[in-house]
Amino acid sequence: MEASLRDELVRLFDTKLSRQMLLNLETCSRCGLCTPACHAYASMPLPKYAPAFRAEVVRRIYKRYFTALGRFAPVLGEAKPLTDAALEELREAAYSCTGCRRCMVYCPFGIDTQQIMSIAKLLLIGAEAAPEILSLLADVSISKGESIETFKEGFLQGIKRLETQVVARWKVEAGTTPIPTEVEGADMLYVALAGAHSIIPAAVVFNAARENWTLSFFEAVNFGAFVGDPGKTQLILDRIVREALRLGVKEVCICECGTAVRVAKQLSGTQPFRVVSLTEVHARYLREGRIRVKKLPGSHTYHDPCQIARNGGVYDEPRAILGRIVEDFREMSPDPKYNWCCGGGGGLVAMGEDTLDFRMRSSRVKADQIRESRADVVVTACENCHTQLENINAHYGLGKEVKFLSSLLADALVAP
Amino acid sequence: MSAMEYAKELDLRNLPCPMPVVKISKGIKEVAVGQIVKAVTTDPGALTDFPAWAKTSGNQIVETQEASGEVRFFIKRLK
Ligand code: SF4
Ligand code: SF4
């Protein structure tokens, strides 16, 4: 590795050294309590998949460049220089971690391995060694934000085509647009994904609840966060913030995409609107009696998306919804806080077939948990998790049905 | 609607996010520079995603056709 690149990577490393990060890097007692907590290690007990081992890959570089012993006597202790081989180790550590933070729940010091992995991801970006597809996806989102006027017409045509499917499931009052766009002064801006499945059931429920809403031009997912680029993460989020401010909405509702929910909630800053997940909005409609539902037959279980539950605190709302719309609900984990990660987060699902083998091998414990729930239907509230659960279902021959919570709620609606 | 010649066809209907863009990014590399990939999708978001992807990745959408709820993109590999 050239000295100039090494200097640049050390500079990037330095930008991540907040007080919280220093605690993460300097506190680990190597007690190993986090080791069996990681689904990757629990499914494949190799040392490299232990959370503290991953963290150590970053920590040793920290010791080399940011501690006195590492700087002045690098051969002593465990300091490790930044080399091409070290970059490879960083890549392996970062892209086998889904950022689920299950390890953090078990760590007596609350060490956040996911946050430590964000250093690894940033160094990979600096070395132009980040997964190409994730960088491209982030750039596509940014490009859309820069020239939305060019793309608007096509999007509106696509949305118009979906409206008959919305009306087929819920008859709207005369004069109501089934999927409204560009409504200034709407109460809510709904930010969906590219696929119709993230728009139609949501629109059906909004219409049933007589919500004053408008659909965003942008997709919710934030690939900047997947690739670990703070600048791109903010640029992608800012497109939505600007749109919400322009329309003057009171609430921004993020679709069933865990990373999008976490990023929008944590990084939108102080704004005249609040950020909520679709699941929270749906639970509110039921609480306030704005929609009526029936109970659907069959046994159902719920997979907590890590970014919405462990990393976002939304545990009760999906259970409140399921308690109202299914006859038979079975928990997967006695305490949802410890629900296993599906193994698809952190950009792994977005990397497609390239990561499929690892995703399947590392999700053995999740497959066991689903099987043991003995439920026929696995419900979740995240696009990534849904894709990964479908893959697990096929790979392990579980014979389950995987459904989105929003879609189930739309199926359970009854006329007032 | 003219019949357009293409070297490869990709069925990107009803795929989860972000598979349409992931698959077109891979698929375009499987044809020679100058050749055309036909991509069929049902996503409303694809109508904004694909032009933005073409611009970012340096490829060219030479024709867009819409019929029976589907959108067909004909994309020329430029580099
Ligand atoms: S955040 Fe999740 S995937 Fe990453 S080390 Fe911790 S338990 Fe493993
Ligand atoms: S549980 Fe915490 S302190 Fe113990 S090894 Fe894991 S990260 Fe280190």
Side-chain angles (χ1 to χ4, degrees):
Chain A
M1 182 184 294
E2 290 195 8
S4 57
L5 175 59
R6 187 173 301 129
D7 290 348
E8 171 59 11
L9 297 185
V10 171
R11 188 194 67 76
L12 282 175
F13 201 131
D14 194 30
T15 64
K16 297 291 275 185
L17 293 179
S18 62
R19 184 197 285 254
Q20 180 58 42
M21 191 66 92
L22 289 172
L23 279 174
N24 286 328
L25 288 169
E26 291 178 351
T27 317
C28 179
S29 65
R30 301 186 187 181
C31 65
L33 283 174
C34 57
T35 305
C38 177
H39 63 277
Y41 183 89
S43 298
M44 296 180 282
L46 299 171
K48 64 179 176 180
Y49 297 135
F53 184 97
R54 287 176 215 285
E56 205 55 27
V57 173
V58 175
R59 199 173 274 127
R60 289 184 178 195
I61 296 169
Y62 167 76
K63 284 182 180 160
R64 169 64 183 81
Y65 297 99
F66 297 96
T67 65
L69 185 68
R71 275 203 298 254
F72 299 114
V75 288
L76 301 176
E78 297 161 330
K80 206 167 172 180
L82 267 164
T83 58
D84 291 336
L87 276 182
E88 198 37 54
E89 284 176 20
L90 288 170
R91 189 181 160 94
E92 164 107 52
Y95 286 96
S96 61
C97 169
T98 58
C100 73
R101 287 196 168 114
R102 195 170 186 271
C103 51
M104 194 179 168
V105 183
Y106 286 82
C107 174
F109 302 106
I111 290 176
D112 187 348
T113 309
Q114 183 272 342
Q115 219 183 21
I116 298 177
M117 289 304 101
S118 75
I119 298 178
K121 287 190 168 182
L122 189 64
L123 298 186
L124 291 167
I125 292 170
E128 295 184 11
E132 204 186 326
I133 186 67
L134 295 183
S135 301
L136 174 71
L137 286 163
D139 291 341
V140 169
S141 296
I142 293 167
S143 159
K144 243 162 90 172
E146 284 164 352
S147 32
I148 186 62
E149 290 305 323
T150 326
F151 307 133
K152 235 176 194 172
E153 211 33 57
F155 181 72
L156 291 174
Q157 280 168 23
I159 292 303
K160 271 275 154 266
R161 279 205 312 271
L162 295 185
E163 290 192 335
T164 46
Q165 294 180 60
V166 174
V167 179
R169 294 178 69 176
W170 191 268
K171 222 171 159 36
V172 296
E173 284 168 28
T176 306
T177 310
I179 308 179
T181 48
E182 286 281 75
V183 183
E184 277 185 36
D187 289 335
M188 179 198 284
L189 176 70
Y190 174 57
V191 195
L193 296 171
H197 61 275
S198 122
I199 300 173
I200 294 171
V204 168
V205 179
F206 288 146
N207 289 328
R210 297 170 184 239
E211 185 60 77
N212 175 13
W213 68 292
T214 186
L215 178 70
S216 171
F217 280 118
F218 300 108
E219 73 292 342
V221 56
N222 197 312
F223 296 110
F226 281 149
V227 76
D229 187 321
K232 287 183 183 175
T233 303
Q234 199 62 51
L235 279 174
I236 293 168
L237 175 63
D238 284 349
R239 307 168 313 161
I240 297 163
V241 170
R242 276 197 305 274
E243 190 183 28
L245 292 174
R246 181 170 57 79
L247 296 173
V249 297
K250 297 181 189 129
E251 201 164 54
V252 171
C253 172
I254 307 289
C255 68
E256 291 170 311
C257 171
T259 300
V261 169
R262 181 180 63 79
V263 169
K265 281 195 175 196
Q266 294 177 355
L267 299 178
S268 288
T270 310
Q271 300 294 350
F273 56 82
R274 59 187 210 114
V275 178
V276 282
S277 66
L278 186 62
T279 304
E280 289 167 286
V281 169
H282 286 168
R284 188 172 77 206
Y285 290 163
L286 284 167
R287 213 169 45 238
E288 293 174 352
R290 287 175 67 174
I291 49 173
R292 287 191 58 219
V293 288
K294 63 179 180 210
K295 287 207 169 183
L296 301 167
S299 51
H300 295 70
T301 187
Y302 181 70
H303 165 75
D304 288 278
C306 302
Q307 304 300 337
I308 295 176
R310 237 184 326 266
N311 295 343
V314 179
Y315 292 106
D316 297 338
E317 291 83 350
R319 289 166 175 83
I321 297 168
L322 286 162
R324 295 279 302 274
I325 65 170
V326 300
E327 279 173 0
D328 179 356
F329 174 65
R330 303 166 185 197
E331 283 289 0
M332 264 190 213
S333 162
D335 182 342
K337 193 163 79 209
Y338 300 107
N339 210 339
W340 284 114
C341 168
C342 67
L348 294 188
V349 160
M351 285 154 77
E353 280 160 20
D354 293 353
T355 58
L356 185 64
D357 178 58
F358 174 76
R359 284 192 280 120
M360 292 304 102
R361 285 188 292 120
S362 61
S363 59
R364 188 185 51 76
V365 287
K366 186 77 220 181
D368 290 345
Q369 196 183 38
I370 294 171
R371 199 182 286 113
E372 282 157 21
S373 77
R374 296 182 182 277
D376 296 329
V377 186
V378 183
V379 185
T380 194
C382 169
E383 182 93 352
N384 245 294
C385 298
H386 189 280
T387 304
Q388 169 78 351
L389 292 169
E390 292 254 14
N391 291 156
I392 291 174
N393 194 30
H395 180 83
Y396 288 95
L398 300 179
K400 310 288 182 195
E401 206 183 334
V402 185
K403 285 205 144 190
F404 284 107
L405 182 57
S406 64
S407 172
L408 208 63
L409 178 63
D411 290 346
L413 285 174
V414 291
Chain B
M1 205 178 280
S2 62
M4 161 114 13
E5 298 265 318
Y6 51 88
K8 187 179 181 70
E9 178 166 356
L10 293 173
D11 182 359
L12 307 177
R13 288 173 298 180
N14 301 313
L15 290 181
C17 161
M19 287 311 137
V21 176
V22 171
K23 287 187 186 275
I24 187 66
S25 302
K26 266 198 155 169
I28 199 85
K29 290 186 182 148
E30 288 162 15
V31 301
V33 172
Q35 284 188 318
I36 287 177
V37 174
K38 174 185 174 186
V40 185
T41 161
T42 42
D43 281 353
L47 288 153
T48 50
D49 282 351
F50 275 60
W53 165 82
K55 195 172 157 218
T56 309
S57 64
N59 293 292
Q60 185 191 5
I61 297 179
V62 285
E63 190 170 319
T64 309
Q65 298 173 355
E66 291 188 50
S68 49
E70 288 178 2
V71 186
R72 297 169 200 148
F73 290 102
F74 293 87
I75 305 154
K76 188 190 241 178
R77 179 171 179 187
L78 290 187
K79 57 180 193 185

